[in-house]
Amino acid sequence: MRNLNAENITDAVIEQFAGCSDERLKSILNSLVTHLHGFLREVEPTEQEWTQAIDFLTRTGQMCDDKRQEFILLSDTLGVTMLVDALNHQTSDPMVSESTVLGPFYVADPPEAAQGESIDWNVEGEPFFVEGRVHDGRGEPLANVVIDVWQSDSEGFYDVQKELESASLRARFTTDDLGRYAFWTVTPSPYPIPTDGPVGKMLEITGRHPYRPAHVHFMLMAEGYETLVTQVFAEDDPYLDSDAVFGVKDSLVREYELLPPGRAPDGRSMEVPFRHLTYDFGLKASR
Ligand code: BEZ
Ligand code: FE
């Protein structure tokens, strides 16, 4: 294997992986090398451009720690996260809820909250009542489904970004016998994804905005069903068609209905206007 050129170097690299005993790994690497070399033959980068690319990836790695994952942000903003999601959670069943990007602000094992409780511990904002049911994908209610919810505040920040001492605007609920969940919170707003790293620079120099439309995150976990990671977006949001991470699906968009002061759906007496969202989830049985 000598005197390799732009045409035969791809086969030479693939040949060196021939002894890999893990067939799946071998086929992934063969495909990676084929596409990566094909990409380079197509764009013909200068050596300076290639050095810039390596520098970008180096800075992306250097930005990562246990709280910040710039590579996931890069995957999100290049549409890779949503492509992987689409390849793994393809559903043509309208009764099964669609998934979307997890995002970097999920915290495992959030504080448990009771049905109807408020998760807006001391956060200012417009009151927002969220409720719905969880079913088995055929309409039968599912009890004891664990639902983790998390969201930004009305200024677009998650508790972990504000480095609060305790959790805020996140909680764990469990569905009741009729598959119901309900909680009070504050209305979330659109917000920019973190822009202080190389991904932010990439968005800036390519003329892209960093915003995500307002949403509430949900993770639903139940024995015998696939875990559903999803979000419900506000219908009137200006960023629905230009989400920086490509996560919006029509089935996940709902009206955050603005209601006048008075009796809320759970019987609470409201002295100020508030919003109301109803969203039912259908889970997919695991194989
Ligand atoms: C989020 O929705 O929390 C999120 C998703 C992807 C990147 C940044 C934030
Ligand atoms: Fe989010």
Side-chain angles (χ1 to χ4, degrees):
M1 191 185 312
R2 292 185 188 189
N3 307 320
L4 298 170
N5 57 40
E7 272 68 54
N8 61 13
I9 191 161
T10 306
D11 288 341
V13 178
I14 287 173
E15 204 182 305
Q16 288 224 359
F17 284 122
C20 176
S21 56
D22 181 333
E23 287 303 322
R24 173 73 178 152
L25 178 61
K26 183 159 74 178
S27 106
I28 290 172
L29 287 168
N30 286 354
S31 180
L32 175 69
V33 169
T34 304
H35 287 279
L36 184 58
H37 286 202
F39 162 73
L40 292 167
R41 275 189 284 267
E42 183 179 314
V43 301
E44 294 187 6
T46 63
E47 280 167 331
Q48 194 201 0
E49 285 169 333
W50 187 241
T51 303
Q52 269 178 358
I54 299 283
D55 180 53
F56 175 81
L57 292 175
T58 304
R59 282 183 289 116
T60 300
Q62 286 166 342
M63 196 79 195
C64 296
D65 58 26
D66 57 346
K67 290 213 178 72
R68 177 72 180 265
Q69 232 303 349
E70 194 75 358
F71 271 114
I72 295 184
L73 212 53
L74 181 59
S75 160
D76 295 341
T77 50
L78 293 180
V80 174
T81 306
M82 286 309 295
L83 175 57
V84 173
D85 172 78
L87 294 169
N88 283 279
H89 299 285
Q90 207 83 275
T91 174
S92 52
D93 183 349
M95 291 286 281
V96 170
S97 298
E98 291 193 283
S99 54
T100 188
V101 58
L102 172 72
F105 302 122
Y106 176 66
V107 178
D109 302 319
E112 290 185 19
Q115 195 79 251
E117 206 177 313
S118 173
I119 64 165
D120 68 354
W121 299 290
N122 302 322
V123 177
E124 296 283 309
E126 182 183 52
F128 186 29
F129 183 61
V130 182
E131 63 173 339
R133 286 170 192 269
V134 184
H135 63 79
D136 64 354
R138 292 182 305 260
E140 289 302 314
L142 277 181
N144 298 319
V145 178
V146 173
I147 308 183
D148 288 355
V149 301
W150 68 106
Q151 63 163 88
S152 67
D153 62 19
S154 43
E155 260 127 45
F157 294 103
Y158 286 79
D159 56 357
V160 285
Q161 293 174 292
K162 295 190 286 188
E163 299 192 346
L164 302 177
E165 303 249 307
S166 55
S168 176
L169 298 177
R170 68 177 71 241
R172 170 167 290 177
F173 294 90
T174 305
T175 55
D176 68 10
D177 288 347
L178 297 175
R180 292 177 303 191
Y181 72 92
F183 59 96
W184 281 93
T185 180
V186 296
T187 311
S189 66
Y191 64 83
I193 62 168
T195 54
D196 54 341
V199 170
K201 197 96 217 136
M202 184 265 291
L203 297 179
E204 188 191 318
I205 63 176
T206 55
R208 286 175 58 183
H209 75 70
Y211 281 86
R212 299 218 60 216
H215 57 273
V216 180
H217 292 261
F218 295 85
M219 183 186 288
L220 291 88
M221 295 158 276
E223 193 80 28
Y225 294 85
E226 288 184 9
T227 294
L228 173 65
V229 175
T230 196
Q231 303 171 23
V232 180
F233 299 91
E235 188 183 72
D236 56 355
D237 195 284
Y239 296 108
L240 285 176
D241 290 313
S242 63
D243 180 9
V245 302
F246 309 98
V248 179
K249 297 175 179 177
D250 278 342
S251 70
L252 302 177
V253 178
R254 281 291 182 286
E255 183 179 7
Y256 290 8
E257 191 187 7
L258 183 59
L259 295 173
R263 190 78 52 211
D266 67 341
R268 187 187 279 205
S269 172
M270 297 299 294
E271 282 166 14
V272 293
F274 63 102
R275 289 191 189 260
H276 178 217
L277 164 68
T278 305
Y279 199 90
D280 294 342
F281 296 98
L283 299 188
K284 185 178 182 186
S286 40
R287 276 179 276 158

